[in-house]
């Protein structure tokens, strides 16, 4: 199988023929994740929150965030309909996997990798309220604020970012690129030459 990912240097990569350049490096990401972790540890003092990761993109952020919490906490997952292989949203949100945990009376923290149009983050709390949690908060690593079309309740935001396509640290382009420890943005200077 031909490789999708070409690492050029510290700053640029090619993924599925598109050139990307570094946007947030792993150190910046880790520092911010730990800041949020400290804040959540303070805010949930004496409580035992359950973190609900939204698959697939949130798995890496969720993992690092959870490791930074200094308290008892639990984890579960839900999965919504995917955007598929392309760079734009379909505009339709469906639940593909429900949470397994009993969330009644629990302190629920929804964990997202990115809020784009906001449709997913608008849908999830509505769904969660059906379970009657004791409290409900949201955290997202990235908020593409210029693209957000609906009111979304965001309690913790890692980075507010401009309206550009990003990949890495859990975020994909056609299911590849999630393993990158840094986050890259699409380079507006266009597509690369095919790999030799
Ligand atoms: C991405 C991301 C969020 C959602 C945000 O998921 O993980 O869940 O899109 O977009 P929105 O604000 O426009 O709703 P995606 O459906 O691409 O699936 P993935 O997490 O498996 O990559």
């Amino acid at each position: 199988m031909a490789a999708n990912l070409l690492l050029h240097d510290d700053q640029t990569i090619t993924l599925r023929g598109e050139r990307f350049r570094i946007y947030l490096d792993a150190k910046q990401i880790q520092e911010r994740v730990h800041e949020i972790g400290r804040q959540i540890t303070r805010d949930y003092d004496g409580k035992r929150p359950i973190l609900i990761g939204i698959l697939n993109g949130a798995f890496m952020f969720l993992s690092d965030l959870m490791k930074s919490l200094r308290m008892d906490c639990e984890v579960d997952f839900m999965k919504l309909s995917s955007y598929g292989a392309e760079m734009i949203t379909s505009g339709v949100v469906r639940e593909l996997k429900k949470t397994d945990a009993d969330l009644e009376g629990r302190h629920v923290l929804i964990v997202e990798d990115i809020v784009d149009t906001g449709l997913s983050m608008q849908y999830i709390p509505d769904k969660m309220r059906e379970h009657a949690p004791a409290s409900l908060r949201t955290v997202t690593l990235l908020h593409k604020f210029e693209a957000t079309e609906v009111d979304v309740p965001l309690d913790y935001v890692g980075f507010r970012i401009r309206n550009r396509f990003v990949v890495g640290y859990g975020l994909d382009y056609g299911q590849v690129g999630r393993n990158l420890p840094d986050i890259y943005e699409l380079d507006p200077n266009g597509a690369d030459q095919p790999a030799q």
Side-chain angles (χ1 to χ4, degrees):
M1 185 185 287
N4 270 305
L5 172 64
L6 290 175
L7 295 165
H8 297 294
D9 50 47
D10 285 353
Q11 300 296 314
T12 56
I13 59 168
T14 297
L15 201 54
R16 297 178 65 210
E18 301 284 349
R19 174 79 69 150
F20 289 80
R21 62 187 180 202
I22 197 103
Y23 189 56
L24 295 165
D25 68 32
K27 185 165 177 287
Q28 284 174 285
I29 296 168
Q30 292 302 323
E31 283 174 2
R32 187 71 185 118
V33 170
H34 280 84
E35 274 176 19
I36 297 171
R38 284 193 292 273
Q39 181 70 49
I40 291 171
T41 300
R42 283 195 294 272
D43 291 352
Y44 285 84
D45 185 31
K47 301 190 174 89
R48 187 165 110 179
I50 180 164
L51 282 66
I52 307 291
I54 310 303
L55 294 170
N56 294 333
F59 77 97
M60 205 173 281
F61 173 46
L62 172 67
S63 168
D64 287 338
L65 181 65
M66 210 166 166
K67 282 182 278 185
S68 75
L69 299 183
R70 296 289 172 261
M71 57 170 51
D72 288 346
C73 55
E74 298 179 32
V75 68
D76 200 356
F77 295 93
M78 70 185 285
K79 186 173 172 65
L80 303 178
S81 52
S82 172
Y83 283 4
E86 301 314 319
M87 295 184 186
I88 54 170
T89 174
S90 65
V92 180
V93 180
R94 285 182 302 119
E95 195 176 21
L96 299 180
K97 180 204 173 300
K98 295 177 190 302
T99 53
D100 297 315
D102 180 2
L103 301 178
E104 188 176 343
R106 303 299 311 275
H107 296 286
V108 171
L109 180 60
I110 308 291
V111 183
E112 264 286 24
D113 52 333
I114 187 166
V115 172
D116 191 328
T117 65
L119 293 173
S120 305
M121 200 51 118
Q122 187 184 52
Y123 174 90
I124 299 161
D126 283 350
K127 270 277 156 202
M128 286 290 134
R129 279 192 200 93
E130 293 172 8
H131 298 274
S135 72
L136 185 62
R137 286 188 183 172
T138 60
V139 54
T140 184
L141 179 68
L142 305 176
H143 182 203
K144 213 190 265 190
F145 61 97
E146 294 163 322
T148 304
E149 299 165 1
V150 291
D151 267 351
V152 278
L154 298 177
D155 296 291
Y156 308 95
V157 175
F159 301 93
R160 280 161 53 84
I161 65 167
R162 307 310 301 255
N163 193 6
R164 40 184 67 125
F165 187 80
V166 285
V167 68
Y169 195 68
L171 294 137
D172 74 306
Y173 175 29
Q175 298 304 328
V176 290
R178 295 191 199 271
N179 55 317
L180 296 162
D182 309 290
I183 293 176
Y184 293 80
E185 64 168 325
L186 186 66
D187 189 333
N189 294 329
D192 240 33
Q193 297 299 313
Q196 298 298 307

